[in-house]
Amino acid sequence: MDKSIIINGEKYAIDVDNDMPLLWFLRDRLEKTGTKFGCGAGLCGACTVHVDGVATRSCVTPVGVLAGKSITTIEGLSDDGDHPLQKAWLENNVPQCGYCQAGQIMNAASLLNTNPTPSGNDIDNAMQGNICRCGTYQRIKKAIAQAADELAREVS
């Protein structure tokens, strides 16, 4: 039986070993390199993508268990890089080295999907599993709050 997954709206056959981590399927098989390898143990968050809208560490998620699921990577978050989080990231000069940013943004997007008006503590709690070796945590928090405000204006 053929297995497939939807990635950023496109259907792909899972034609690799079922145990291959989603991260390597994305990067090596599909050449979607926006998702980064960080620790390889699901501890740093650099590899965060959405699986059916939920933030998921792609480095520890076997692609074989994702048949029929919908995956969103940083490349699929918006068509033109104009998601309110991406805009807020730039406006707040969040990135330094930038390595963790895709995972940070994807985790923040998952937070805002489930909690469109997060408090400062909500943001801290949701983002605590995403590590930034440059220590831009205050700018990350500010950008998420700004994006939440922007999304709230879009809805009203």
Side-chain angles (χ1 to χ4, degrees), residues 79-115:
D79 290 336
D80 301 320
D82 61 353
H83 185 281
L85 278 165
Q86 293 168 311
K87 292 190 306 188
W89 238 249
L90 292 174
E91 291 170 11
N92 288 283
N93 296 314
V94 173
Q96 284 192 1
C97 81
Y99 198 81
C100 70
Q101 301 308 300
Q104 299 272 3
I105 290 171
M106 294 307 289
N107 197 41
S110 182
L111 165 66
L112 296 180
N113 284 339
T114 58
N115 181 358

Side-chain angles (χ1 to χ4, degrees), residues 96-140:
Q96 284 192 1
C97 81
Y99 198 81
C100 70
Q101 301 308 300
Q104 299 272 3
I105 290 171
M106 294 307 289
N107 197 41
S110 182
L111 165 66
L112 296 180
N113 284 339
T114 58
N115 181 358
T117 57
S119 68
N121 282 338
D122 293 337
I123 294 171
D124 289 342
N125 288 333
M127 300 303 293
Q128 67 180 342
N130 285 75
I131 297 170
C132 173
R133 62 183 172 193
C134 301
T136 63
Y137 297 110
Q138 293 306 313
R139 289 184 288 192
I140 289 169

Side-chain angles (χ1 to χ4, degrees), residues 13-111:
I14 299 173
D15 56 357
V16 296
D17 187 287
N18 284 335
D19 292 333
M20 174 184 263
L22 174 60
L23 174 65
W24 300 124
F25 185 73
L26 293 169
R27 291 184 59 85
D28 292 350
R29 192 64 161 199
L30 304 180
E31 298 181 355
K32 295 186 179 300
T33 57
T35 305
K36 305 299 183 199
F37 173 80
C39 66
L43 302 174
C44 74
C47 67
T48 303
V49 299
H50 294 175
V51 175
D52 290 339
V54 177
T56 302
R57 305 296 200 244
S58 65
C59 72
V60 292
T61 304
V63 70
V65 302
L66 299 172
K69 305 278 186 182
S70 179
I71 313 303
T72 305
T73 68
I74 190 69
E75 293 97 336
L77 189 61
S78 68
D79 290 336
D80 301 320
D82 61 353
H83 185 281
L85 278 165
Q86 293 168 311
K87 292 190 306 188
W89 238 249
L90 292 174
E91 291 170 11
N92 288 283
N93 296 314
V94 173
Q96 284 192 1
C97 81
Y99 198 81
C100 70
Q101 301 308 300
Q104 299 272 3
I105 290 171
M106 294 307 289
N107 197 41
S110 182
L111 165 66

Side-chain angles (χ1 to χ4, degrees), residues 2-14 25 30 68-69:
D2 291 335
K3 291 182 173 183
S4 63
I5 57 177
I6 305 295
I7 300 174
N8 299 335
E10 292 186 42
K11 186 176 182 178
Y12 294 92
I14 299 173
F25 185 73
L30 304 180
K69 305 278 186 182

